[in-house]
Amino acid sequence: MPRDGLNFDHLKKEYVICICEGAAEQAIIELLLAHNSLIFSYDNLVGRKITRKRKASEIQSSFLNRTYQKQVNILRVLDSKSDPFKLPPIYAKRYPVYNIYTHPEIEMLLISAEGQIEKYLQKKKSLYSPSSYCAEILFPGMNIKSRDFIQHYFTNISKLHNAIRIYHEKARKQGEANLFHLLSKSLT
């Protein structure tokens, strides 16, 4: 169990509805799933796929009006705490919702993988967002938010694992789950 007390081991035996905010988040989760790097597997995913539906009403109508043989958990991979998600009380009691934050942006994994966190934090004072830092300094002319770019960049899955670990160590947000908390225990 991670030292911060956040534990998602139960996901190994339960179902997961995994909601990804954008294409980059989805590509990262798919890479981790394809390499058996997460606590849960494709077999745990409801419908065996990730969804980009973000509204509670869409999740409710698409996934929650069914009977399941196991507990169903909703994982939201997103960068903002201001993205509302409120299930009606009857569903809220049955389906736990976990927010997995990638803030300020998923591009922090690219910055971490490039060994540029310290340099970025110095430049951040000059108002670079992680995506603009990546687009202007690290990968000019590349579509860093595209699924293809992420999949190609993290072809070596160890590079992604390491970036997740580094970012987790630097972020140090107590009580807030991030991708590190979803990694298979053999990787943490």
Side-chain angles (χ1 to χ4, degrees):
M1 174 159 59
R3 282 172 267 148
D4 53 19
L6 293 170
N7 185 345
F8 293 96
D9 283 344
H10 63 283
L11 298 179
K12 287 181 216 174
K13 299 177 223 134
E14 298 175 352
Y15 290 134
V16 174
I17 297 169
C18 186
I19 304 166
C20 288
E21 178 180 49
E25 289 85 355
Q26 184 174 351
I28 285 174
I29 295 296
E30 287 173 344
L31 280 167
L32 293 168
L33 282 166
H35 288 88
N36 298 313
S37 300
L38 296 175
I39 291 170
F40 60 94
S41 70
Y42 271 112
D43 291 338
N44 299 84
L45 287 178
V46 172
R48 292 188 184 235
K49 62 181 180 179
I50 295 163
T51 184
R52 296 274 295 282
K53 295 177 181 184
R54 293 171 54 188
K55 294 180 181 175
S57 60
E58 292 174 324
I59 296 301
Q60 177 185 329
S61 64
S62 296
F63 301 105
L64 305 184
N65 293 325
R66 309 177 193 169
T67 302
Y68 293 98
Q69 300 299 315
K70 299 178 188 177
Q71 173 67 48
V72 175
N73 302 273
I74 300 170
L75 286 182
R76 299 174 65 222
V77 181
L78 67 164
D79 62 19
S80 173
K81 288 184 176 185
S82 64
D83 193 3
F85 188 88
K86 186 166 171 74
L87 292 171
I90 190 168
Y91 293 105
K93 291 177 187 175
R94 284 193 284 175
Y95 302 104
V97 176
Y98 302 101
N99 295 318
I100 309 302
Y101 291 109
T102 62
H103 64 73
E105 296 175 43
I106 197 76
E107 287 80 9
M108 286 302 294
L109 292 179
L110 296 170
I111 293 169
S112 297
E114 288 291 311
Q116 295 281 317
I117 285 194
E118 299 303 327
K119 197 171 186 179
Y120 166 73
L121 292 174
Q122 291 170 358
K123 290 198 182 272
K124 186 177 178 184
K125 293 174 186 161
S126 66
L127 302 177
Y128 273 105
S129 69
S131 57
S132 64
Y133 185 82
C134 286
E136 295 172 30
I137 295 174
L138 296 180
F139 308 103
M142 305 294 286
N143 183 0
I144 58 169
K145 292 185 183 267
S146 77
R147 181 183 185 137
D148 289 342
F149 177 83
I150 295 294
Q151 288 175 330
H152 178 72
Y153 183 81
F154 288 116
T155 301
N156 176 349
I157 196 67
S158 296
K159 188 176 192 177
L160 178 55
H161 296 157
N162 195 42
I164 290 170
R165 277 190 221 95
I166 290 168
Y167 180 68
H168 172 71
E169 288 298 316
K170 295 292 181 180
R172 296 274 183 194
K173 303 272 186 188
Q174 289 294 359
E176 186 176 287
N178 61 48
L179 292 172
F180 179 82
H181 297 99
L182 297 179
L183 288 179
S184 170
K185 297 307 170 212
S186 64
L187 299 172
T188 58

